[in-house]
Amino acid sequence: MQRLLFPPLKALMGSQCLRLLVPRAAPRAQCGCSCGIRRPLRPGQYSTISEVALQSGKGTVTLPSKAAERVVGRWLLVCSGTVAGAVILGGVTRLTESGLSMVDWHLIKEMKPPTSQEEWEAEFQRYQQFPEFKILNHDMTLAEFKFIWYMEYSHRMWGRLVGLAYILPAAYFWRKGWLSRSMKGRVLALCGLVCFQGLLGWYMVKSGLEEKPDSHDIPRVSQYRLAAHLGSALVLYCASLWTSLSLLLPQHKLPETRQLLRLRRFAHGTAGLVFLTALSGAFVAGLDAGLVYNSFPKMGESWIPEDLFTFSPILRNVFENPTMVQFDHRILGITSVTAITALYFLSRRIPLPRRTRVAAVTLLAVAYTQSSVLFNLIFISDLDEGIRNI
């Protein structure tokens, strides 16, 4: 077979080199006959070059090996970390009200910040033409503008770093042949989602720069676009993390018992509930709904505020009424913590691998840590308002 398919290659490279590229022959079948039939190769039974496929007339094409899968898995794990950093930095940008300081969007041009006094003054003058300066920051100084500008600049540059962290290694791994057919589809989807995330970010910022002659409210971005921006980032983070762990961690073969199936369904439902809670938080941030009531567990003097259904039609209250938005976020947050607690106790009743038990404990700790931080923020805000009213 070798003499028929590769006589030129054998003449050039020598038979010793050629044998490196050919899979080792499986042992002959122990059937006692001389038929010469060879057993099929088992998965992973290859020559010293880990996994190689020979194509007639095209040389060699490397295929994914276990080592390549580990490299790809670590790359996606790093990418998920950069996405988490972008979400955190975006939250800081929102808290400092810096998101509308950069009024233009250029993929390459805006990467260079202003360096001279004239450039800074020109950038500040552009900002002064938009509603946030006219209504909210009309007495802002150039030094104060530089602070919020650099906050938004950092967020945008980090977003570009995330894009490069996905696209450049993906192109390299694709060219090296380290991606299987199914992994190519996943990587293309992740890279496409990164690009979509950047465009969605600008689409969100643009909503806060539009003139609204009939409104004298504080300029802010659309809560719908903010929720879409955060939601797509969470999807990108979860998809990258899930794919990386599926490559790095061996899959446990657990018996499909009724308890395990129930735990798995409950875990999926809890994940969806946490996702909805995060999206509702984006609506709270977009409407500044967290400033409406700063007491807990009651909202003001009552458990259920009277102004939950002030908008018409009724469904509009869910997305545009700050009181209803905060009320929904509280209910979803309490329900999420309760579901995570139940998930932890359910996991204790089933024999699970060590890393699964560690994940359940970590999830519970993070949920209660976030709840305590939020409660402290509400308490400090309430105390501050009480001091100011004395």
Side-chain angles (χ1 to χ4, degrees), residues 282-326:
F283 280 91
V284 172
L287 292 171
D288 288 331
L291 304 177
V292 178
Y293 291 96
N294 53 9
S295 58
F296 187 87
K298 290 184 176 181
M299 298 179 69
E301 299 297 328
S302 59
W303 292 96
I304 301 178
E306 298 179 354
D307 54 343
L308 284 180
F309 300 100
T310 56
F311 291 10
S312 181
I314 293 179
L315 184 61
R316 185 182 166 200
N317 290 276
V318 179
F319 304 104
E320 299 182 12
N321 184 350
T323 300
M324 174 65 87
V325 167
Q326 187 188 142

Side-chain angles (χ1 to χ4, degrees), residues 9-217:
L9 184 61
K10 183 175 181 180
L12 291 174
M13 300 179 59
S15 60
Q16 187 68 24
C17 294
L18 181 61
R19 283 195 294 271
L20 291 175
L21 298 176
V22 179
R24 291 198 302 268
R28 293 179 182 272
Q30 301 297 324
C31 59
C33 62
S34 58
C35 55
I37 299 177
R38 298 179 185 272
R39 290 180 179 175
L41 289 174
R42 298 189 305 272
Q45 187 178 13
Y46 297 99
S47 65
T48 54
I49 295 180
S50 59
E51 292 191 12
V52 178
L54 298 179
Q55 296 181 357
S56 178
K58 296 183 180 180
T60 63
V61 178
T62 58
L63 296 178
S65 65
K66 291 298 181 182
E69 285 185 355
R70 287 193 295 270
V71 173
V72 174
R74 290 168 186 160
W75 159 59
L76 289 176
L77 188 63
V78 172
C79 288
S80 65
T82 61
V83 175
V87 173
I88 295 172
L89 188 55
V92 175
T93 303
R94 175 65 189 173
L95 289 175
T96 55
E97 297 182 348
S98 307
L100 300 178
S101 58
M102 297 181 69
V103 297
D104 296 321
W105 191 86
H106 301 283
L107 184 61
I108 304 299
K109 181 181 177 181
E110 73 179 20
M111 295 179 68
K112 177 183 176 298
T115 54
S116 63
Q117 183 69 16
E118 292 77 12
E119 291 179 349
W120 274 114
E121 290 178 353
E123 187 73 23
F124 192 28
Q125 289 176 0
R126 282 194 291 271
Y127 173 70
Q128 293 174 2
Q129 299 173 9
F130 289 87
E132 185 175 72
F133 177 82
K134 297 177 182 179
I135 299 175
L136 183 63
N137 296 331
H138 50 83
D139 57 347
M140 175 176 281
T141 64
L142 180 60
E144 293 171 335
F145 170 72
K146 286 183 179 180
F147 171 76
I148 64 172
W149 192 92
Y150 270 120
M151 289 299 303
E152 174 64 10
Y153 175 79
S154 300
H155 183 52
R156 293 194 184 189
M157 292 304 103
W158 188 269
R160 284 166 172 77
L161 177 64
V162 172
L164 293 177
Y166 274 91
I167 295 174
L168 293 183
Y172 175 78
F173 294 145
W174 194 301
R175 182 177 178 83
K176 295 288 289 184
W178 290 1
L179 303 176
S180 64
R181 179 175 299 179
S182 61
M183 189 57 60
K184 285 181 180 179
R186 294 186 186 184
V187 168
L188 280 178
L190 292 175
C191 292
L193 189 56
V194 169
C195 298
F196 174 74
Q197 176 75 4
L199 295 175
L200 191 57
W202 169 243
Y203 182 64
M204 175 192 69
V205 171
K206 188 178 178 181
S207 65
L209 301 175
E210 298 172 351
E211 294 280 355
K212 300 175 182 177
D214 299 333
S215 175
H216 298 283
D217 196 5

